[in-house]
């Protein structure tokens, strides 16, 4: 997860308050990690090659089965509450049951691979049983580290890990998985409870082998204060032909963070997480790589930021689907994502014209590269409260099609927006004009032309051109709500990818008052574009001086040519037409009556 240089970009694309919120999330996740890495007091050992006749769980005489160590820990009658079970490498064919309710003392159990060299495999053989099954109280905590959890390959009904059973035991404290491999045919992790305090899965790999299988599913009856963090994981199918596979299915959590994961040929399903009245979104999907995968959000406020979506999930599905089946407004912030070769990048669905169901989307700083449709906005008739796009800013679209916006009813019938319902578009670039532009409200810096990009199909991204052939029209054209530094131009480029081959510099030039050194200023403009000349820069620089009360004359001489000049008459430039060049020196004669210095920046 990027926590250093990316904050400036986040602040530019989302605003200072959102960036501050994301920083607090990183701090929160770090605190969770620190808490989960606490030292454990009692150590037990398991080695399948040991002598079972003398096994006592010590390093010298380890147990030969993991379940034996679990039973020993839960059977402890002392005040010991925390156990670590260290498992030597090898394959353990057994189903593990951790019933914390059989113990009055134990709250924490960690099962971890003891040595780094050999893989530690726990393999289930009965398809009717989870490989690992844990039940307990709201104080119970389970951590798994460095394990491979798999099935015998004979059945599709397998569950890798199951935490809780809402019909019989209702609560659990926390579940954590770190550096594990989940090689499954059914559900890798199923958490079925009334409530759980914390779920954290990090640096783990999930491989699903059948259609309609699941990586991690949470099914809670009451969210309460539950929080789930999925970070730096890999979710993938065993082959690309698998369909309907879900990496995560998160239902009824209070907060959800999906950060820096790689997800291939799978979907992320989020349903009823947090409250729609939350000040900040309870769902954060950030810095992930979705390859032929998508995100489905239902009845949840969410922030989807800095992700890379490429390819088409199941061939047809949109990259991001927003749906809200209740009458309260759901809000989606979609910031700084790259959508590469999506059939439809973002879709707001409406499937009932008689019921108020609506999502308000804020779409900013995204790049839609070779996407057939950027946004499909479905609208319900007969109500003023329906799906809408509240903000569309700093977005890049490269498609040559004029139909990158689809605005329609749920049955596909086109809809024309009017008044405040129109899509407000500012500081954005399109590869072609828009066919349904009457449904748009255009503001500043909206352009239509060759976007000037270089595709990187291997990494599903692009770079902005700035060379002797052209300068991308996206460079320095984005919206910025923050102050401009005196040394660097903080104005962002349009789109998710910012030009970084050369720094964007801003210079401030001060011209003297008329009585200061006879009002004469000798200067050059070394910070002008040296790669691709732009004559408009001359107007940008000189527009502040275009007043005869400010300046009398500008004069210059190039090599052995005669001197040339410009002067202002009736606030209009008269004289020689000349693109300002960084290597040329210029003499400025200010109006003798100019009382105070004048500064211009570019």
């Amino acid at each position: 997860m990027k926590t250093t240089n990316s904050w400036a970009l986040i602040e530019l694309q989302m605003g200072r308050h959102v960036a501050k919120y994301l920083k607090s999330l990183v701090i929160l996740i770090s605190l969770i990690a620190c808490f989960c890495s606490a030292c454990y007091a009692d150590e037990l050992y398991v080695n399948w090659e040991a002598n079972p006749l003398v096994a006592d769980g010590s390093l010298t005489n380890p147990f030969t089965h993991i379940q034996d160590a679990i039973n020993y820990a839960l059977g402890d009658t002392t005040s010991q509450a925390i156990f670590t079970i260290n498992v030597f490498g090898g394959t353990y064919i057994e189903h593990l049951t951790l019933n914390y309710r059989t113990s009055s003392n134990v709250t924490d159990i960690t099962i971890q691979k003891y040595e780094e060299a050999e893989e530690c495999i726990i393999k289930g053989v009965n398809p009717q049983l989870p490989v690992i099954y844990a039940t307990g109280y709201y104080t119970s905590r389970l951590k798994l580290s460095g394990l491979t959890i798999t099935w015998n390959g004979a059945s599709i009904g397998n569950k890798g890990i199951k935490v809780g059973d809402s019909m019989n035991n209702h609560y659990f404290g926390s579940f954590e998985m770190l550096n594990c491999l989940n090689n499954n045919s059914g559900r890798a992790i199923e958490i079925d409870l009334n409530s759980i305090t914390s779920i954290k899965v990090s640096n783990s790999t999930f491989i699903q082998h059948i259609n309609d299988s699941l990586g991690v599913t949470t099914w809670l009856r009451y969210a309460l204060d539950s929080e789930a963090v999925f970070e730096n994981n890999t979710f993938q199918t065993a082959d690309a032909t698998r369909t309907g596979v879900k990496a995560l299915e998160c239902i009824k959590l209070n907060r959800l963070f999906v950060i820096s994961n790689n997800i291939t040929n799978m979907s992320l399903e989020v349903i009823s997480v947090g409250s729609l009245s939350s000040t900040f979104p309870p769902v954060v999907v950030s810095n992930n790589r979705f390859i032929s995968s998508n995100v489905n959000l239902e009845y949840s406020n969410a922030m989807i930021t800095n992700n890379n979506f490429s390819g088409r999930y199941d061939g047809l599905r949109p990259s991001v689907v927003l749906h809200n089946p209740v009458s309260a407004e759901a809000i989606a912030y979609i910031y700084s994502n790259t959508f590469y070769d999506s059939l439809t990048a973002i879709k707001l669905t409406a499937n009932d014209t008689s019921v108020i169901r609506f999502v308000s989307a804020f779409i900013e700083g995204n790049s839609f590269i070779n996407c057939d449709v950027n946004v499909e906005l479905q609208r319900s008739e007969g109500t003023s409260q329906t799906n809408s796009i509240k903000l569309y800013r700093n977005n890049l679209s490269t498609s040559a099609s004029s139909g990158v916006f689809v605005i329609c009813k749920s049955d596909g019938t086109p809809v024309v927006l009017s008044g405040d319902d129109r899509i407000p578009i500012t500081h954005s670039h399109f590869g072609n004009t828009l066919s349904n532009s009457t449904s748009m409200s255009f503001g500043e810096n909206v352009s239509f032309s060759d976007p000037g990009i270089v595709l990187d199909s291997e990494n599903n991204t692009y770079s902005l051109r700035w060379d002797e052939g052209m300068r991308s029209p996206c460079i320095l054209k984005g919206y910025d709500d923050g102050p401009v530094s005196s040394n660097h131009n903080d104005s962002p480029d349009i789109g998710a990818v910012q030009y970084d081959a050369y720094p964007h510099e801003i210079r401030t030039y001060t011209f003297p008052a008329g009585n200061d050194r006879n009002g004469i200023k000798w200067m050059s403009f070394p910070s002008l574009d040296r790669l691709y000349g732009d004559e408009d820069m001359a107007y940008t620089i000189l527009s502040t001086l275009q007043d005869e009360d400010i300046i009398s004359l500008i004069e210059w001489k190039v090599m052995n040519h005669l001197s040339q000049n410009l002067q202002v008459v009736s606030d209009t430039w008269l004289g020689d037409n000349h693109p300002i060049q960084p290597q040329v020196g210029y003499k400025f004669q200010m109006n003798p009556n100019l009382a105070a210095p004048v500064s211009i920046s570019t």
Side-chain angles (χ1 to χ4, degrees):
M1 182 177 180
K2 300 177 182 177
T3 58
T4 54
N5 296 332
S6 61
W7 289 121
L9 176 57
I10 290 175
E11 289 179 355
L12 286 172
Q13 298 287 10
M14 301 183 213
R16 303 302 191 255
H17 63 289
V18 177
K20 181 178 180 182
Y21 173 58
L22 280 184
K23 288 182 181 179
S24 69
L25 298 185
V26 174
I27 294 172
L28 174 62
I29 293 169
S30 298
L31 290 175
I32 293 173
C34 292
F35 172 78
C36 293
S37 63
C39 295
Y40 292 82
D42 205 347
E43 305 281 336
L44 298 174
Y45 297 87
V46 179
N47 188 341
W48 67 280
E49 294 182 304
N51 183 355
L53 299 178
V54 296
D56 58 10
S58 65
L59 180 59
T60 304
N61 299 305
F63 293 118
T64 56
H65 292 87
I66 303 172
Q67 188 65 53
D68 292 340
I70 293 170
N71 294 341
Y72 180 92
L74 293 174
D76 185 75
T77 57
T78 67
S79 59
Q80 180 60 49
I82 301 173
F83 283 88
T84 295
I85 299 173
N86 300 284
V87 184
F88 282 76
T91 299
Y92 297 81
I93 302 177
E94 54 181 316
H95 292 267
L96 308 181
T97 300
L98 296 93
N99 186 354
Y100 290 75
R101 291 173 176 264
T102 62
S103 173
S104 59
N105 301 313
V106 177
T107 57
D108 293 67
I109 294 178
T110 294
I111 304 175
Q112 64 183 22
K113 185 175 71 169
Y114 177 57
E115 293 181 335
E116 295 297 326
E118 189 176 355
E119 187 177 15
C120 180
I121 302 171
I122 305 174
K123 179 181 288 189
V125 295
N126 186 338
Q128 305 305 314
L129 297 175
V131 180
I132 301 175
Y133 178 41
T135 62
Y137 303 101
Y138 68 91
T139 56
S140 303
R141 291 183 285 271
L142 172 63
K143 179 178 178 181
L144 306 175
S145 178
L147 308 175
T148 294
I149 300 161
T150 188
W151 86 114
N152 67 345
S155 172
I156 64 173
N158 175 265
K159 288 185 176 68
I161 300 165
K162 183 175 175 62
V163 179
D165 181 346
S166 60
M167 299 301 295
N168 299 305
N169 54 88
H170 310 293
Y171 304 98
F172 206 81
S174 68
F175 171 80
E176 181 178 3
M177 172 178 280
L178 174 67
N179 292 323
C180 289
L181 170 61
N182 304 267
N183 199 350
N184 251 271
S185 61
R187 298 187 173 191
I189 301 175
E190 179 181 274
I191 298 175
D192 182 15
L193 295 160
N194 275 1
S195 186
I196 188 171
T197 302
S198 172
I199 303 166
K200 182 176 175 66
V201 179
S202 62
N203 298 97
S204 294
T205 298
F206 295 80
I207 303 175
Q208 301 301 116
H209 289 262
I210 63 167
N211 294 348
D212 303 312
S213 56
L214 266 166
V216 183
T217 177
T218 65
W219 186 280
L220 307 182
R221 303 308 184 270
Y222 307 101
L224 297 179
D225 197 33
S226 56
E227 177 177 277
V229 178
F230 299 95
E231 185 175 11
N232 293 320
N233 302 291
T234 296
F235 297 87
Q236 65 189 61
T237 55
D239 61 77
T241 65
R242 301 303 174 193
T243 60
V245 184
K246 299 176 184 178
L248 301 173
E249 181 183 64
C250 299
I251 303 174
K252 276 273 188 175
L253 290 162
N254 194 44
R255 292 178 300 276
L256 171 65
F257 306 107
V258 182
I259 300 173
S260 299
N261 302 281
N262 288 310
I263 301 175
T264 302
N265 203 36
M266 291 185 173
S267 66
L268 166 60
E269 308 281 337
V270 179
I271 303 173
S272 191
V273 172
S275 169
L276 294 182
S277 61
S278 301
T279 303
F280 289 106
V283 178
V284 174
V285 180
S286 176
N287 288 294
N288 302 284
R289 187 175 179 87
F290 293 92
I291 302 174
S292 299
S293 300
N294 79 334
V295 176
N296 295 306
L297 284 163
E298 182 173 322
Y299 186 37
S300 303
N301 289 348
M303 179 182 295
I304 303 175
T305 176
N306 288 309
N307 302 286
N308 185 293
F309 294 87
S310 62
R312 306 179 180 195
Y313 179 55
D314 283 357
L316 297 174
R317 301 193 196 185
S319 296
V320 174
V321 178
L322 307 174
H323 178 62
N324 181 23
V326 299
S327 59
E329 178 187 32
I331 298 177
Y333 300 97
I334 304 177
Y335 290 154
S336 303
N337 304 282
T338 297
F339 297 91
Y340 195 102
D341 194 30
S342 295
L343 182 65
T344 299
I346 302 169
K347 182 176 182 178
L348 287 73
T349 66
N351 56 13
D352 192 331
T353 59
S354 62
V355 178
I356 299 174
R357 299 177 173 180
F358 67 111
V359 177
S360 294
F362 296 77
I363 303 172
E364 182 168 14
N366 302 283
S367 295
F368 302 95
I369 310 300
N370 296 342
C371 296
D372 292 16
V373 175
N374 296 351
V375 181
E376 179 177 336
L377 173 63
Q378 294 186 355
R379 301 271 295 186
S380 298
E381 290 190 314
T383 174
S384 60
Q385 293 179 302
T386 182
N387 291 335
S388 64
I389 298 176
K390 301 294 187 182
L391 177 73
Y392 190 92
R393 186 170 65 190
N394 278 16
N395 298 296
L396 165 64
S397 173
T398 68
S399 174
S401 169
S402 61
V404 294
F405 286 92
V406 174
I407 306 169
C408 60
K409 300 178 185 178
S410 58
D411 62 3
T413 304
V415 171
V416 178
L417 305 180
S418 61
D420 293 339
D421 290 335
R422 293 181 299 170
I423 300 175
I425 298 179
T426 69
H427 300 83
S428 294
H429 184 87
F430 300 89
N432 200 350
T433 55
L434 304 178
S435 58
N436 48 359
S437 59
T438 54
S439 293
M440 320 291 173
S441 173
F442 294 103
E444 295 182 76
N445 285 354
V446 180
S447 52
F448 309 89
S449 65
D450 180 354
I453 67 170
V454 179
L455 295 177
D456 179 356
S457 56
E458 182 177 350
N459 297 300
N460 301 316
T461 185
Y462 68 96
S463 58
L464 295 172
R465 278 190 65 184
W466 191 350
D467 54 35
E468 62 277 4
M470 76 175 298
R471 185 177 69 189
S472 169
C474 297
I475 293 175
L476 296 174
K477 297 297 185 180
Y479 175 80
D480 176 35
D481 61 353
V484 176
S485 164
S486 60
N487 295 318
H488 296 281
N489 190 347
D490 289 338
S491 294
D493 304 325
I494 291 174
V497 174
Q498 302 296 288
Y499 182 86
D500 59 2
Y502 295 91
H504 298 169
E505 294 185 0
I506 187 166
R507 293 290 181 91
T508 298
Y509 301 99
T510 301
F511 299 84
N515 60 0
D516 182 7
R517 291 172 292 177
N518 296 319
I520 294 176
K521 173 78 169 183
W522 286 92
M523 62 175 300
S524 61
F525 299 89
S527 63
L528 293 188
D529 186 353
R530 293 173 179 268
L531 294 176
Y532 179 76
D534 188 344
E535 294 188 18
D536 288 341
M537 290 296 291
Y539 175 80
T540 302
I541 294 172
L542 302 179
S543 58
T544 304
L545 306 179
Q546 193 171 332
D547 185 335
E548 56 191 306
D549 292 331
I550 295 178
I551 194 167
S552 297
L553 184 73
I554 303 175
E555 189 173 14
W556 65 94
K557 186 175 183 297
V558 180
M559 304 296 289
N560 295 323
H561 297 280
L562 297 175
S563 64
Q564 297 173 277
N565 67 75
L566 278 173
Q567 55 185 310
V568 180
V569 177
S570 299
D571 296 337
T572 300
W573 289 111
L574 294 179
D576 298 297
N577 184 25
H578 172 71
I580 290 182
Q581 301 171 27
Q583 69 271 24
V584 174
Y586 298 86
K587 176 184 179 182
F588 289 77
Q589 174 66 64
M590 313 310 291
N591 189 311
N593 297 320
L594 181 65
V598 174
S599 295
I600 60 174
S601 296
T602 189

